[in-house]
Amino acid sequence: MSSTPRKEQIIETAARLFSQRGYHATSMRDLARELDLKGASLYSHISGKEEILWLILERAARQFLDAIEPIAASDMPPLEKLRAAIRSHVRVVTGDLAAATVYFHEWKALQGERRAQFLEWRRRYEHLLQGIVEEGMAAGVLDPHADPKFATLLILSVVNWLYQWYRPEGPLSPDEIAERFTALILDGLGARVGEETADAAYQTA
Amino acid sequence: MSSTPRKEQIIETAARLFSQRGYHATSMRDLARELDLKGASLYSHISGKEEILWLILERAARQFLDAIEPIAASDMPPLEKLRAAIRSHVRVVTGDLAAATVYFHEWKALQGERRAQFLEWRRRYEHLLQGIVEEGMAAGVLDPHADPKFATLLILSVVNWLYQWYRPEGPLSPDEIAERFTALILDGLGARVGEETADAAYQTA
DNA sequence: CCTACCGATCGGTAGG
DNA sequence: CCTACCGATCGGTAGG
């Protein structure tokens, strides 16, 4: 029925298996069986097991970066940038939950150059997000006295952990989840007109 | 020098290796080499590879539960309960980062009964935390209109993701990190005296 | 895409 | 705690 090229089927199926059992716990024969092939037949489409992992991780990393780069470079107001960045992150995670799970769990199985490339992409992503956070602080949308590194880590905590609990059949759509995340972050890290409220919360704590 | 029993050394070293490379990527011979033993010698102290993983995960799960259970059962005010729960969670994670990493990443390698037991402990922990959140809402410390399940997930996101970025040599102590988490959560999920501020933030978003 | 096969390594046991 | 060894399985290749 499907005209999806074999290589695509291999990558998709591998993403599912790697996300369920982990990269090292999935054998090439497991993967082949899922595609009604013999193990050796996989090697006419891909060069080896690590290449499959790499193709999954490379795509995921590009999706994250392709989404945030135009947002970071745009002239939207800082608040809208932050909202758009959170929404696009949530869309990437929820759009391919298996790939996102592999992205967060299995990159350590990469060796040498690929591992370095992956980590560089991840660093670039986090740096772009931190830039948006800093713009928000400079514009007074986020608390200018907060630590931008810590604030970025908190945003990443919330949007990254999503892969652990998101289920497509759940009650909230991806955009609704992103909306709630944004509201929480604006509230928790936001600058207030009356600064007393924020100060009071810190002191009560 | 050290009089640590061999079994303890095995568990500690395994936690380090499993956290660095993953359970399936660490062989019994890797583990033995790290302890200046031959692979076969491990089996006079433990019954098999999965038992080592189980001992790491069981301890970690018990640490989380032993910390939150007395807090949940106490008669502290709701706000103090939440603060204490977050602080104890952060202490467990930072107190043994390797074990925490294995706790979050490698439990899927457990089979059958052990896997079920682990998941039950994790559910119990999350349920106790949600109870504390609900008490806070009932008492007006947290926004009574928020969704308690979602609020609990957000707290778990922030405190769980810590294992991904915490480094003992970093600028913040575990208790300082917990303090900042609590402040953020009280701010982001907190009830305000003037409700307009929160409503305004939701509508701007 | 298959059969047939490779050397390496896996978790684990026997027997001291 | 060691040497010696087990069957099973691993990723991958040869050759069609």
Side-chain angles (χ1 to χ4, degrees):
Chain A
M1 263 295 157
S2 167
S3 63
T4 316
R6 257 281 124 104
K7 191 167 177 176
E8 290 305 311
Q9 290 179 23
I10 292 172
I11 296 167
E12 262 176 55
T13 306
R16 205 184 75 235
L17 295 181
F18 292 173
S19 73
Q20 286 166 353
R21 316 175 189 175
Y23 174 76
H24 286 110
T26 306
S27 76
M28 293 299 273
R29 286 165 179 84
D30 291 338
L31 175 55
R33 196 182 312 116
E34 208 78 9
L35 293 158
D36 284 311
L37 293 175
K38 297 294 176 184
S41 305
L42 292 167
Y43 292 86
S44 26
H45 301 99
I46 45 88
S47 68
K49 193 183 180 187
E50 203 196 291
E51 196 205 8
I52 304 178
L53 177 63
W54 174 243
L55 291 169
I56 296 167
L57 293 178
E58 188 192 25
R59 285 175 189 203
R62 284 198 190 283
Q63 280 196 56
F64 281 119
L65 277 172
D66 288 351
I68 205 172
E69 273 168 349
I71 294 168
S74 82
D75 55 1
M76 292 166 135
L79 172 61
E80 289 309 309
K81 278 198 187 187
L82 189 64
R83 289 189 68 224
I86 290 169
R87 196 172 49 227
S88 77
H89 187 107
V90 169
R91 283 181 181 168
V92 172
V93 170
T94 58
D96 192 342
L97 198 54
T101 303
V102 176
Y103 179 88
F104 290 116
H105 264 91
E106 307 298 335
W107 62 267
K108 282 185 181 176
L110 290 178
Q111 307 283 329
E113 183 54 40
R114 285 171 168 167
R115 187 176 171 134
Q117 174 68 268
F118 177 86
L119 288 173
E120 198 215 304
W121 282 333
R122 215 179 60 169
R123 265 193 302 274
R124 195 190 303 170
Y125 184 82
E126 292 172 4
H127 185 258
L128 287 171
L129 184 62
Q130 187 174 327
I132 294 174
V133 166
E134 284 166 353
E135 280 182 50
M137 288 176 178
V141 178
L142 296 178
D143 179 4
H145 305 102
D147 172 358
K149 274 210 156 58
F150 194 78
T152 307
L153 275 173
L154 285 171
I155 295 171
L156 283 169
S157 305
V158 170
V159 297
N160 284 347
W161 195 252
L162 178 60
Y163 85 93
Q164 287 267 358
W165 60 269
Y166 177 74
R167 295 294 170 267
E169 67 275 16
L172 295 174
S173 73
D175 283 1
E176 283 167 348
I177 291 169
E179 212 50 48
R180 293 206 186 188
F181 282 174
T182 307
L184 171 99
I185 288 157
L186 288 179
D187 237 22
L189 299 172
R192 230 51 58 64
V193 184
E195 283 286 303
E196 319 89 57
T197 319
D199 288 351
Y202 275 89
Q203 281 160 15
T204 333
Chain B
M1 263 293 154
S2 167
S3 62
T4 316
R6 258 281 124 103
K7 190 166 178 176
E8 291 306 310
Q9 291 180 22
I10 292 172
I11 296 167
E12 262 176 56
T13 307
R16 205 184 76 236
L17 294 182
F18 292 173
S19 74
Q20 285 165 353
R21 316 175 189 174
Y23 174 75
H24 290 292
T26 307
S27 75
M28 293 299 274
R29 286 166 179 84
D30 290 340
L31 175 55
R33 195 181 312 115
E34 208 78 8
L35 293 157
D36 284 310
L37 294 176
K38 297 296 175 182
S41 306
L42 292 168
Y43 291 86
S44 26
H45 300 99
I46 45 91
S47 68
K49 193 183 181 188
E50 203 196 290
E51 197 205 8
I52 304 178
L53 178 63
W54 174 244
L55 290 169
I56 297 167
L57 293 178
E58 189 192 24
R59 285 175 188 204
R62 285 197 189 284
Q63 280 194 57
F64 280 119
L65 276 172
D66 288 352
I68 204 172
E69 274 169 349
I71 294 168
S74 82
D75 56 0
M76 292 166 133
L79 172 61
E80 290 307 310
K81 278 197 186 187
L82 189 63
R83 289 189 69 223
I86 290 170
R87 195 173 52 227
S88 77
H89 187 108
V90 169
R91 283 179 182 170
V92 172
V93 170
T94 58
D96 191 343
L97 198 54
T101 303
V102 176
Y103 179 88
F104 290 115
H105 263 91
E106 306 299 335
W107 63 267
K108 281 185 182 176
L110 291 177
Q111 307 282 329
E113 183 53 41
R114 284 170 168 168
R115 186 176 172 136
Q117 174 68 267
F118 177 86
L119 288 174
E120 200 215 301
W121 283 334
R122 215 181 59 172
R123 266 194 301 274
R124 195 189 304 171
Y125 184 82
E126 292 174 2
H127 185 258
L128 287 171
L129 183 61
Q130 188 174 325
I132 294 174
V133 166
E134 284 166 355
E135 279 182 51
M137 287 176 177
V141 178
L142 296 178
D143 180 2
H145 304 102
D147 172 358
K149 274 212 158 53
F150 195 79
T152 308
L153 275 172
L154 285 170
I155 296 171
L156 283 168
S157 304
V158 170
V159 296
N160 284 346
W161 195 251
L162 178 60
Y163 85 93
Q164 286 269 356
W165 60 268
Y166 177 75
R167 295 294 170 266
E169 67 274 17
L172 295 175
S173 74
D175 284 0
E176 282 167 350
I177 291 170
E179 212 50 47
R180 292 205 187 188
F181 282 175
T182 306
L184 171 99
I185 287 158
L186 287 179
D187 237 21
L189 299 171
R192 231 50 57 65
V193 183
E195 281 287 303
E196 320 88 57
T197 319
D199 288 351
Y202 275 86
Q203 280 160 16
T204 333

